[in-house]
Amino acid sequence: MSPELGGNLAQVALGLGLFSFGGMTALAVSNFLRRSYGAKHEAIPTVSSQNAAMGAAALEDALEENETLFREIAQTTPVPVVISDFETGEFKFYNVAAVRLCREKLGFDISKRRTLDIWWTPEDRNAYVSAISKTQKIAGQAVAVKTDDGEKYWLEAFATVIDFLGRKCILTSLLDINDRFQAEQALRHAKNTLDRAQRITEMGSWEWNIATDEISWSDQIYRIFGYEVGAIDPTFHVFLQHVHEDDREMVQAAVKRALEDRAPYDINHRIVLPNGQIKILHEQGEVEYDQNGAPACMLGAVKDITDICETEEALRRSQVTLSGILNISPEAMIVTNEEGRITIFSAGAENIFGFSAEEVIGRRVDCLMPERARARHRDLVKDFGASQTASKQMGERREIIGCRKSGQEFPAKASLSKLQTPDGTYFTTILRDITEEKKHEAELTEAKKKAEAASEAKSAFLATMSHELRTPLNGVLGAAQILKTQNLDASAGEWIEMIRDSGENLLLLLNDILDICKIEEGTLSIAKQEFDLQQLFESVIAPRRLLADEKAVSLKMNTTLGDVHYEGDPKRIRQILTNLVNNAIKFTDQGEIVVTAKIEDSDGASMLVCSVKDTGCGVPEEAQAKIFDRFVQVQDGRSRMHNGAGLGLAICRELVNAMSGSMSLDSGAGQGSVFSFEIPIKPLRAVGSAKPPKDTERSPLSNGEARPAPFFAPSVLIVDDQFVNRKVIGSFVRAFGAEIHEAESGGEALERCKKTAFDLILMDIHMPMMCGQATLAKIRSVDNLNKATPVVAVTADAMVGDREKYLDSGFDAYLSKPVNAAELKNVISEFVPLADSGADKIAV
């Protein structure tokens, strides 16, 4: 045992007197101490100057003489003292105060429970032992022990580690602080509750000691001022430094008045946080006075009202905005309560209804509508108020009828919304007078009718003009084709060629105009049929090489289309290609024209990519933006460079767009042009493979019976009221090796059908007395020799839908005028065999 520890035990013995050490007396303790120190030390260290010179024997005598006195001290000391084994917790000593503490406060007899486990669980005891092991002592630590019923009881412990009877022990003295601890806990809880409340309400409290100028802030005030709790030492001077400079004088004046007038103050002011942020505070303060009536301190509270002020400012701006809207909006804005009484009536409402706001506020809103509509209106508003719908927009409500102050009724549309407030439900109606709209609608409806009538008139005009122009063109072009086969001199041949070219140009222009009309009306249709794409390109390029050769321009074709049939619209593709090649020839005076075409794959789809490149005059950059517009041509100075209506490229682009493709131009003045287009196209089968079997049905009335092929020259009846048409068509048919019969009216055709069985009938449509459709119906319905004879509609009707119309009405085929010999031959050969002799005599 160390001298220091021996001295500690001696001090314990001197201070506490005679203890019960399991039967050992203080004398035994001193003998133990003497045995422990005798060999090494001449004297045992002591704790007072009075016994500093005393040896071990003298100490023993002193202890023995005062044993009775020390016993009295131990019995009367109020401080519980225990000595427990460091490892096991077993009590080695406890005094009377410890016995009384356990019995009266903790509810058990310490003499029957001789271990620290009676105070706490082994885990808590181990934690206590661990804590004392680190510093060898504990001075004034609050510890919780358990009572007999398991409750916590708080003590303050003073402990040190000692060597007692050869064992490491803990000497502990205890103070009962349970009441104080509970009070402190309650105080801390109250403080935390207050702090939470202040944090939630953003309100803090303060106390200012006027004499010392010290201010005590609650935690929330630190947070309001932008500091960590305790980060600064607040004084009135420090507080003023944080007040916004524009408000500082006002705050000082308020405090001064409170001190002088003995009255609390209540002000709003701004503060500036360390980061420069500005907050608005609501502050209240009142003065407390000492017994002499002098100001001693000031107490106050501070609330952060920045958000409230911003909300109030936003509300103010909103009210200003609402007021402005109510004053300037031309629409009526009306607010009503649950009873349907008007609370707000805007300037727009005043203008629409003719009432002033003062006249209608407080009245029921149905005063603004006719008597007959009021009950229905109340029911609608009642249902709307009970529904979950928050608002009904203009388009969600029927038109309503309003009534002005003058009694005049007017149509209106309204949106309705509801708002739940503490004062109840309010309804807001925004109403628009649609008198002018209804007027405009009526005008638009009338204009639409007129436009539709004009469109119909235009279509009728175009149909009539198309028919009337095609009929003479049929004679002109047909006669030109026939004359071309005659043995004429060179001069006559040139004139015949001029007639033919002029007629074909006129027909091309007519077709272009009709295509434009179809595009405008949205009736342009794109066919889907099988065709040979390579053959189509060759049929377009081959006859135009002669035209190019006449200008000493080389026309080349470079195609990689493969030996495949495709599905698409061959007529429209031919039209696009023909137009581009014709333009290239027209605008190229020297050099070459190269037509390129190939099939490319784009995202799994086949695309026909085609370009027509020429070395002609090119298109100036400023003209390229409009080159695809209608009736636009490239011009040189004051004159057009070439003839034409300027419709070709516009139609080409529209056709390409209709086929879901694209078209472009790459050109420059004097640099030639490259017109390109690409359209989707579907490959079907290899050229030369078997085609699907062709339908042999000729007419709905043929009962599926195919007419046997005639053994001799086929007999063809031509029905047309125009002599020229019969003459031209008859010449064509006769050249094909057929026998010709003519009828100039539907009635005559019926008479002939009763007497003669024909192999084919070519029927005009527009004929006096009985049209071609009526004649066909008679032929199919009346017993005659031609009930199942194929009938082809040969007509000048070439508007969109005409082909389908006549096929649907029972015709077996359709052919538009002016008739081309080659097309006529193809149509006839579908129904009857033609002799080869004479077929090539017609210029096709």
Side-chain angles (χ1 to χ4, degrees), residues 55 144 158 175 213 219 247 418 516 550 572 580 670 687 799 810:
F158 298 83
L175 294 179
D213 193 29
D219 293 351
D247 297 346
K418 60 185 176 183
I516 288 294
E550 291 177 359
R572 297 305 183 183
L580 295 180
V687 174
M799 299 292 288

Side-chain angles (χ1 to χ4, degrees), residues 140-162:
Q141 177 176 323
V143 295
V145 300
K146 63 180 181 179
T147 64
D148 191 50
D149 56 6
E151 297 294 328
K152 287 185 177 181
Y153 197 88
W154 289 91
L155 303 172
E156 188 174 14
F158 298 83
T160 186
V161 177
I162 64 172

Side-chain angles (χ1 to χ4, degrees), residues 446-696:
E446 183 63 26
K448 182 174 181 290
K449 290 180 180 179
K450 291 181 179 180
E452 290 173 348
S455 178
E456 292 175 0
K458 182 186 74 172
S459 298
F461 171 77
L462 288 173
T464 301
M465 292 304 298
S466 173
H467 181 274
E468 296 304 320
L469 287 173
R470 285 176 182 275
T471 298
L473 274 175
N474 187 57
V476 171
L477 291 176
Q481 292 181 74
I482 294 171
L483 289 173
K484 190 70 174 178
T485 64
Q486 307 302 312
N487 294 323
L488 302 175
D489 57 35
S491 176
E494 290 178 2
W495 285 107
I496 295 299
E497 191 64 31
M498 290 172 60
I499 293 173
R500 180 182 176 183
D501 289 344
S502 298
E504 288 183 347
N505 288 335
L506 181 59
L507 179 62
L508 179 62
L509 176 60
L510 179 61
N511 289 334
D512 283 347
I513 293 174
L514 293 179
D515 280 338
I516 288 294
C517 292
K518 294 174 185 178
I519 292 168
E520 288 180 345
E521 295 172 357
T523 57
L524 181 71
S525 61
I526 300 300
K528 288 186 178 180
Q529 63 187 69
E530 181 179 345
F531 68 101
D532 187 333
L533 185 59
Q534 180 66 32
Q535 190 276 331
L536 184 150
F537 269 77
E538 291 174 355
S539 67
V540 172
I541 300 302
R544 283 162 180 78
R545 282 200 172 98
L546 296 176
L547 297 176
D549 290 343
E550 291 177 359
K551 299 182 69 174
V553 174
S554 173
L555 176 57
K556 302 177 182 178
M557 184 175 72
N558 181 15
T559 59
T560 53
L561 302 175
D563 296 331
V564 178
H565 278 205
Y566 293 89
E567 181 183 82
D569 192 330
K571 176 183 176 182
R572 297 305 183 183
I573 296 175
R574 180 186 299 274
Q575 185 176 353
I576 295 168
L577 183 60
T578 299
N579 200 305
L580 295 180
V581 174
N582 285 347
N583 276 355
I585 295 173
K586 181 191 300 185
F587 291 98
T588 304
D589 294 328
Q590 60 182 1
E592 65 178 8
I593 300 169
V594 180
V595 178
T596 304
K598 58 183 177 179
I599 303 296
E600 292 185 353
D601 183 76
S602 176
D603 296 329
S606 296
M607 301 291 292
L608 168 61
V609 180
C610 177
S611 66
V612 178
K613 180 179 180 181
D614 64 58
T615 57
C617 60
V619 181
E621 184 176 354
E622 62 272 14
Q624 292 182 20
K626 296 183 178 181
I627 194 66
F628 291 105
D629 293 346
R630 299 169 190 174
F631 306 106
V632 172
Q633 283 190 326
V634 177
Q635 296 185 356
D636 181 12
R638 293 170 295 174
S639 303
R640 293 190 302 173
M641 296 172 62
H642 298 275
N643 293 325
L647 291 174
L649 289 177
I651 293 174
C652 287
R653 185 176 64 174
E654 295 290 352
L655 292 176
V656 169
N657 291 341
M659 289 186 278
S660 302
S662 61
M663 191 168 188
S664 63
L665 166 64
D666 182 10
S667 182
Q671 300 177 8
S673 301
V674 180
F675 285 89
S676 305
F677 69 91
E678 58 179 60
I679 55 174
I681 195 167
K682 182 179 179 181
L684 293 178
R685 62 185 180 86
V687 174
S689 60
K691 293 185 179 181
K694 192 167 185 177
D695 190 1
T696 59

Side-chain angles (χ1 to χ4, degrees), residues 18 40 91 407 445 524 541 649 704 729 790:
L18 183 64
K40 295 181 181 180
F91 289 135
T445 300
L524 181 71
I541 300 302
L649 289 177
I729 296 174

